Amino acid sequence: DAGVIQSPRHEVTEMGQEVTLRCKPISGHDYLFWYRQTMMRGLELLIYFNNNVPIDDSGMPEDRFSAKMPNASFSTLKIQPSEPRDSAVYFCASSLALGGEYGYTFGSGTRLTVV
Amino acid sequence: GNSVTQMEGPVTLSEEAFLTINCTYTATGYPSLFWYVQYPGEGLQLLLKATKADDKGSNKGFEATYRKETTSFHLEKGSVQVSDSAVYFCAAMYSSASKIIFGSGTRLSIRP
């Protein structure tokens, strides 16, 4: 099992540009989560999906952020337009189900720098 | 709302020292409890878990016991190694919520 795969590992972009982060969850996992990690705010849940349907997007900071999951093996997080304060590490995680028996499996993250 | 509180870091220890990282959770129901570890440049990895009171989770020499009476899930290791240097996150999943709540993380550095 290759685990949760995120791309790119690093992204540097100019303010105002569109940024797309990608995630491939573990096959068979029904839940997919997008997190953002910064020194100031720690780990924040942005949005999560169940069976490709967005369930809770209350953590999405503003309308500049959008996430999609067109099928069970692919999700994107898009920022348009990007701003310097969006600089962070973005993690994708997947889970077989919700419940105490299961944890989340995290990807290695995308380090985004907006200059 | 529900929350998880863990000791602030950084924590710096010498190799072979005893480690404790404190974690407490909001006493609403009976959540499942987790410890995750994040090595530099990597994502979080599940280290251990406990799903009910008095359960002990263990992995790689680390242990944590689900204490309902003190609403705690402290992480311990008897003899740390340099390779244990990482950020450790305590987390909880409540049945009333559908997502894991993470603590703020504790950075651990081990000196040779």
Side-chain angles (χ1 to χ4, degrees), chain A residues 38-71:
Chain A
T38 61
M39 289 293 291
M40 290 297 294
R41 302 168 74 96
L43 201 59
E44 302 173 277
L45 176 64
L46 301 177
I47 185 172
Y48 80 92
F49 296 83
N50 175 214
N51 291 326
N52 314 337
V53 175
I55 302 301
D56 183 354
D57 65 354
S58 59
M60 296 284 263
E62 43 196 283
D63 291 346
R64 297 185 296 106
F65 286 69
S66 62
K68 295 182 179 179
M69 192 165 187
N71 57 63

Side-chain angles (χ1 to χ4, degrees), chain A residues 18-38:
Chain A
E18 177 180 295
V19 176
T20 299
L21 312 181
R22 297 172 175 80
C23 175
K24 177 178 167 55
I26 291 175
S27 177
H29 280 194
D30 292 334
Y31 289 82
L32 183 139
F33 306 82
W34 281 101
Y35 282 86
R36 177 172 69 177
Q37 186 178 39
T38 61

Side-chain angles (χ1 to χ4, degrees), chain A residues 11-21 35-39 41 44 46 59-66 77-91 110-115:
Chain A
E11 176 80 38
V12 180
T13 190
E14 291 186 348
M15 182 174 62
Q17 297 298 305
E18 177 180 295
V19 176
T20 299
L21 312 181
Y35 282 86
R36 177 172 69 177
Q37 186 178 39
T38 61
M39 289 293 291
R41 302 168 74 96
E44 302 173 277
L46 301 177
M60 296 284 263
E62 43 196 283
D63 291 346
R64 297 185 296 106
F65 286 69
S66 62
L77 178 68
K78 185 176 294 186
I79 308 172
Q80 166 64 17
S82 58
E83 296 182 3
R85 61 193 167 119
D86 302 331
S87 297
V89 181
Y90 291 81
F91 288 104
T110 295
R111 181 175 295 278
L112 173 65
T113 303
V114 183
V115 298

Side-chain angles (χ1 to χ4, degrees), chain A residues 9 48 56 98 100-101 104, chain B residues 32 36 41 49 98-100:
Chain A
R9 287 299 307 272
Y48 80 92
D56 183 354
L98 290 181
E101 299 80 21
Y104 298 173
Chain B
S32 295
Y36 281 80
K49 65 183 179 185
S98 50
K99 54 196 178 187
I100 292 179

